[in-house]
Amino acid sequence: MANPPQSPPTDNDRMVPSQTQNGGCLPSTFFILYLIWLGLISLITLPGMWLLENLLFEGSLGLPDVRGWVGLAYLLGVGIPIAVLVWLPGVLRGFYRVTGFSLAIGLMMLPARWLFLTEFQTAALIVIGSLGIGIWVCLKLLSRHPEGGVLNNSLHPVYKVIIWIIFGLAWIPYALWGALGSPWDTLLGITVAALLGWFMALLLELFVEQFRLSHPSRQFPSLMIKIVFMVVASLIFGNSLPLVGYPFSLMLPMILSAIGAAVIDSILENSSRVTRQKAIGLFVGSAALLPLVFVDGDELMLVISSTPGELMGYALRMMFAHSLILLAAVISGIFLLKKLREVAFRRWLYLLLGLIWVGGLVVFLTIGQAGFYGERLFVVFRPQVTFDEQMLPKDYAEKRTFVYNALVRNAEATQADIQRLLNRWRIPYQSYYLVNAMEVNGGPLVKLWLTNHPAVERVLPSPRLRPLSESLPAVEGSIREFETGQDWNLAMMRAPQVWSELGVRGAGVVVGLADSGADWEHPQLLDQYRGKNGDHTYNWLDVWFENPFPQDTSGHGTHTLGSILGKDVGVAPDAQWIGCVNLARNLGNPAVYLDCWQFLFAPYPQGGDSFRDGRPELGAHIINNSWGCPEVEGCDPPVFLPAVRALKAAGVFLVVSAGNSGYSGCGSVDAPPAIYEEVLTVGAVNRNGDLAGFSSLGPVTVDGSQRLKAEILAPGEEIFSSFPNDTYEYASGTSMAGPHVAGVVALMWSANPNLIGQVDLTRRIIFETAQQYAGYLPECVDANIYPAQGVGYGIIDAYRAVKRAKEVR
């Protein structure tokens, strides 16, 4: 039987339920106080969680991952008052019940907070499962209260077109500035958005049904009450969503779309429940879809995105434009509420809709970043080459060639079967030989297959940053001209005495730079570049942007290179350099780091094949590595171990910065390649000779070795050096300390070419001639042990080291 017709509600009915209905003013007071409390705790939790994610991603403080506990504290802080208030008499009980249900779904998503930071795909699957359960429960609960009367079961075309127009307009900034992830990431983002939209629509229907039970004379709550409920629900879900980085770009569009959902529900009050759900689900889901699909939450971490021209700026633009469109739609809907209930369809709306979507598609395909740009798989094979010193040729050039050929043969033989299948299935991949590995552009099914292949030892993630819509802007230092008297770092190491008394400046030695790039025309660096005549073949490789000549997007590489061999600011000003970009946007992965090592070991032409075209005789003698590969970049502790062993066997000297996590105490040297015995790991001291507080400390615990690190110290605080565009800058970090040691090795090998390739002997000389460390020691370091963790054998002494090197026969 149809429900009897209802009399239209009065203005008093459309206000918050009266004191009589609520059993007095106390419940209303508690309701307002709860809304204030929810707003405060939500506004604190959202930036707090984002800050915590940033600190964990950057990693230098060594903080424990307490995201799960913070999320639990938020849910309890919001939920405990609900558990009390729901027992109060009055019509607000339905509000508390449905809000409590949304908290329960947030609690179901909470386990994803305990996943590793970059586990987006697994976290998304947990979100999908939680939303699926929530949708199922909502449908069951709503099925107990079937609708009565004759209602419109189809969504009027005009409403469909309006929602799609809003969606299309909101898409344009994302089409211009955003980029898709992998097909699997994109599918997961679409699924999360679709289920979130559907769940929010059902949640609103559930609230409306609870309202009807409390108001038998009313069919619908007022628009204002719906808006309050939907904002509360969006705040809870925005803070509960366990997808790292996304609440930053998702929260504001989500709140505005939730308000829009309330408006749509009021416009469609004479339509069926299913019709309202379709409209609201499409509106809310489309608002969530755009940031979930076109923005990578990981890339919004400040360690990646804080520099000018990075994703943060574009994300803010996209969010602002998206929110402005949603705000305009919401305001229009509120003021035109009655007119929209009776709006007539106009065919020109179809034309407008088509123009908007075609325009967005043209933008995406022409000036946008069309295509898929997701994470890849780094596949490590079981057979890795080991070298016995007795089997290696004595001649340095022959030894490099022997190691290169052995590595290439092993990789070709062991990877052949998988390569053949990947070629058949047209799955892109890149093979490597320094580590017998390959990077595969595949999804979860490919990962499952590779993980279970007998030739594969393990499969690691290989994160890739999505492209930016514009090239990164040029960077400059704050100092325009070279300043004299800023060489305290060189004086501490006694490098000027090496030049003046021993006549050694690094000639005949080639240093390899694996960094953000270099400004090759800088007056401090031009004369030392091996390709200074304009021939960059075998001298330069940019695996990020494929620039044909050396460039530097951040200044980090130009600064470190200047400290190695800058004409006036470097340790070995007559050494030569070649370079490779492995860290253009401050996030690498196992593959790009190996790309540069392979090029610096055996250079090949730009666009060439590292397996076929490598020239090990043209490679660098010394490679400076002012970088580390933590877990967020896809590395595990042993990932580069075969590579550093092979490079050492070939006589390549690897200098690695210890890292900047010293504030977290001992055991903070925790990322490859700094953790390996085969590399020389360098810590930093200031101008007073004290260990820099940021300098990471041993022992190495991540591989269970308890290995001493760092082994040597060098100046690394407020270092004056070259910067792009013929400028200069002061910089601090162990990234600045490592280059000083690379420069000293260049001086040693230049002073005595017989020492070239003798890595162990060179290390021993450096240790035996180091200046004794007499500065401050952290509490966790035992001062009675020599060499001590964090400070090793002391501060490197260039003069004594070179003098001893000249004595080697």
Side-chain angles (χ1 to χ4, degrees):
M1 179 182 295
N3 290 331
Q6 304 293 326
S7 58
T10 65
D11 291 339
N12 289 334
D13 288 333
R14 289 198 173 271
M15 297 177 65
V16 175
S18 67
Q19 296 179 13
T20 303
Q21 291 172 313
N22 281 285
C25 65
L26 189 60
S28 297
T29 302
F30 281 140
F31 177 68
I32 294 171
L33 289 175
Y34 177 74
L35 294 180
I36 295 172
W37 165 249
L38 174 68
L40 285 174
I41 194 173
S42 297
L43 291 175
I44 292 172
T45 301
L46 185 70
M49 183 69 78
W50 185 69
L51 177 61
L52 176 60
E53 290 170 349
N54 271 276
L55 293 174
L56 292 170
F57 198 94
E58 194 271 337
S60 65
L61 295 180
L63 297 175
D65 189 348
V66 295
R67 290 175 299 131
W69 297 110
V70 173
L72 180 60
Y74 172 78
L75 292 172
L76 291 176
V78 175
I80 289 175
I82 288 282
V84 176
L85 293 173
V86 76
W87 296 101
L88 293 179
V91 296
L92 291 171
R93 182 176 292 178
F95 178 96
Y96 297 132
R97 284 175 175 170
V98 183
T99 303
F101 177 65
S102 67
L103 286 167
I105 303 304
L107 194 63
M108 291 179 61
M109 295 189 292
L110 187 62
R113 297 279 191 195
W114 274 279
L115 295 172
F116 187 68
L117 275 169
T118 55
E119 286 281 351
F120 165 78
Q121 295 179 352
T122 307
L125 290 173
I126 292 175
V127 172
I128 289 169
S130 302
L131 289 173
I133 293 172
I135 289 169
W136 179 80
V137 173
C138 282
L139 291 172
K140 285 291 184 181
L141 292 174
L142 289 171
S143 67
R144 299 177 182 177
H145 306 282
E147 292 183 294
V150 179
L151 299 171
N152 185 3
N153 285 313
S154 62
L155 184 61
H156 195 286
V158 71
Y159 301 128
K160 292 181 183 178
V161 172
I162 289 174
I163 293 173
W164 279 100
I165 285 175
I166 296 169
F167 186 11
L169 289 172
W171 178 49
I172 292 175
Y174 290 91
L176 177 61
W177 296 314
L180 296 172
S182 68
W184 180 237
D185 286 341
T186 303
L187 179 61
L188 288 173
I190 292 172
T191 305
V192 169
L195 293 178
L196 181 61
W198 190 8
F199 180 73
M200 292 293 282
L202 290 171
L203 206 62
L204 179 55
E205 287 298 325
L206 198 59
F207 169 66
V208 169
E209 195 58 47
Q210 288 290 316
F211 181 87
R212 287 172 178 163
L213 294 176
S214 301
H215 295 73
S217 62
R218 295 272 303 279
Q219 281 291 311
F220 290 95
S222 69
L223 174 60
M224 183 57 66
I225 293 178
K226 290 179 186 177
I227 289 175
V228 170
F229 171 76
M230 290 300 286
V231 169
V232 167
S234 62
L235 282 173
I236 290 173
F237 267 91
N239 279 280
S240 301
L241 197 66
L243 303 178
V244 172
Y246 280 103
F248 175 88
S249 58
L250 188 60
M251 177 59 85
L252 190 55
M254 193 170 174
I255 292 175
L256 291 171
S257 68
I259 298 173
V263 175
I264 293 171
D265 191 76
S266 295
I267 293 172
L268 300 177
E269 286 182 351
N270 292 324
S271 298
S272 68
R273 181 184 290 164
V274 171
T275 301
R276 293 195 298 272
Q277 290 172 20
K278 289 179 180 179
I280 294 170
L282 176 60
F283 187 75
V284 176
S286 63
L289 182 146
L290 293 170
L292 282 172
V293 168
F294 284 94
V295 179
D296 186 344
D298 291 345
E299 295 182 32
L300 293 177
M301 298 295 100
L302 292 176
V303 70
I304 302 171
S305 272
S306 58
T307 56
E310 262 295 350
L311 180 64
M312 181 66 74
Y314 295 109
L316 288 172
R317 290 186 216 173
M318 289 184 279
M319 181 178 66
F320 178 77
H322 188 183
S323 301
L324 204 61
I325 292 166
L326 291 174
L327 181 63
V330 167
I331 292 174
S332 300
I334 291 174
F335 283 99
L336 301 175
L337 186 63
K338 292 184 179 179
K339 291 185 178 180
L340 286 171
R341 285 173 176 159
E342 302 172 357
V343 68
F345 180 68
R346 299 289 185 270
R347 292 191 179 277
W348 59 265
L349 286 173
Y350 276 130
L351 177 62
L352 178 61
L353 174 63
L355 289 174
I356 290 172
W357 276 92
V358 169
L361 188 61
V362 169
V363 167
F364 182 61
L365 295 177
T366 56
I367 59 178
Q369 292 66 245
F372 295 103
Y373 304 95
E375 295 187 0
R376 302 180 185 179
L377 307 172
F378 189 73
V379 185
V380 181
F381 288 79
R382 294 189 187 280
Q384 301 288 341
V385 181
T386 57
F387 295 95
D388 186 343
E389 187 70 28
Q390 304 302 319
M391 62 185 279
L392 296 171
K394 299 301 181 184
D395 180 77
Y396 181 64
E398 292 179 3
K399 179 162 57 176
R400 292 182 69 119
T401 301
F402 177 87
V403 170
Y404 172 76
N405 290 333
L407 292 169
V408 168
R409 283 196 303 269
N410 177 64
E412 288 179 334
T414 55
Q415 297 180 21
D417 290 341
I418 287 181
Q419 287 178 353
R420 185 167 54 254
L421 291 172
L422 292 174
N423 289 331
R424 181 187 303 170
W425 299 332
R426 297 185 180 180
I427 297 175
Y429 66 90
Q430 174 69 48
S431 291
Y432 295 91
Y433 62 80
L434 267 180
V435 175
N436 185 12
M438 65 169 58
E439 187 186 49
V440 180
N441 192 359
L445 293 179
V446 175
K447 180 179 180 180
L448 181 63
W449 166 61
L450 289 169
T451 302
N452 291 281
H453 195 284
V456 173
E457 181 180 293
R458 64 194 188 280
V459 179
L460 301 173
S462 190
R464 290 268 177 169
L465 293 178
R466 302 180 193 182
L468 301 172
S469 62
E470 299 176 13
S471 299
L472 291 170
V475 294
E476 293 184 353
S478 60
I479 303 168
R480 304 299 306 178
E481 302 291 339
F482 172 75
E483 296 180 353
T484 59
Q486 304 301 319
D487 59 349
W488 70 266
N489 50 320
L490 303 178
M492 175 181 283
M493 301 162 51
R494 301 206 289 172
Q497 290 176 253
V498 176
W499 312 331
S500 60
E501 296 183 24
L502 303 180
V504 178
R505 296 173 59 87
V509 177
V510 178
V511 179
L513 176 77
D515 213 298
S516 64
D519 178 2
W520 72 291
E521 294 180 311
H522 196 289
Q524 293 288 337
L525 307 175
L526 175 60
D527 289 340
Q528 301 93 308
Y529 176 45
R530 199 170 66 182
K532 63 183 178 182
N533 61 356
D535 183 6
H536 304 291
T537 303
Y538 300 111
N539 300 318
W540 171 256
L541 181 68
D542 185 346
V543 298
W544 272 86
F545 304 124
E546 299 181 354
N547 288 317
F549 56 87
Q551 295 185 29
D552 188 0
T553 57
S554 75
H556 189 272
T558 301
H559 193 283
T560 57
L561 185 60
S563 294
I564 299 172
L565 46 70
K567 183 174 67 174
D568 301 304
V569 296
V571 177
D574 285 354
Q576 285 187 310
W577 67 273
I578 60 176
C580 180
V581 178
N582 65 3
L583 208 56
R585 293 176 57 196
N586 208 28
L587 183 82
N589 59 46
V592 296
Y593 291 131
L594 278 179
D595 278 322
C596 280
W597 271 357
Q598 290 188 168
F599 174 78
L600 296 173
F601 169 54
Y604 52 91
Q606 297 179 22
D609 186 339
S610 62
F611 278 67
R612 298 281 181 272
D613 305 324
R615 297 279 301 277
E617 72 277 9
L618 297 178
H621 301 106
I622 304 156
I623 301 176
N624 182 72
N625 303 276
S626 292
W627 54 270
C629 187
E631 191 176 355
V632 293
E633 293 185 328
C635 289
D636 63 3
V639 63
F640 296 131
L641 192 55
V644 298
R645 287 175 173 169
L647 289 170
K648 183 185 176 185
V652 179
F653 200 102
L654 293 176
V655 177
V656 181
S657 298
N660 301 322
S661 302
Y663 294 113
S664 61
C666 287
S668 50
V669 179
D670 56 3
I675 62 174
Y676 300 134
E677 181 180 4
E678 290 78 8
V679 308
L680 182 57
T681 303
V682 186
V685 293
N686 59 26
R687 64 173 64 235
N688 298 320
D690 287 319
L691 183 69
F694 53 74
S695 189
S696 293
L697 310 171
V700 176
T701 59
V702 292
D703 60 1
S705 67
Q706 301 298 313
R707 188 176 296 118
L708 170 73
K709 292 291 177 178
E711 297 101 327
I712 200 71
L713 298 174
E717 195 169 299
E718 289 299 308
I719 303 300
F720 180 79
S721 188
S722 49
F723 221 67
N725 291 313
D726 297 347
T727 60
Y728 297 86
E729 190 58 270
Y730 291 94
S732 299
T734 58
S735 287
M736 285 67 239
H740 290 84
V741 176
V744 171
V745 176
L747 292 176
M748 296 169 66
W749 286 7
S750 175
N752 186 352
N754 293 326
L755 199 57
I756 292 176
Q758 297 192 53
V759 175
D760 287 333
L761 179 56
T762 304
R763 286 166 57 100
R764 189 163 67 249
I765 292 173
I766 290 173
F767 297 157
E768 292 175 353
T769 59
Q771 303 169 22
Q772 185 175 357
Y773 178 75
Y776 163 80
L777 281 176
E779 291 183 5
C780 63
V781 175
D782 189 344
N784 298 316
I785 297 177
Y786 178 84
Q789 295 292 351
V791 300
Y793 292 87
I795 301 172
I796 193 166
D797 189 318
Y799 181 74
R800 292 179 62 190
V802 174
K803 198 170 182 180
R804 178 77 64 83
K806 290 172 69 72
E807 299 171 359
V808 175
R809 295 291 181 263

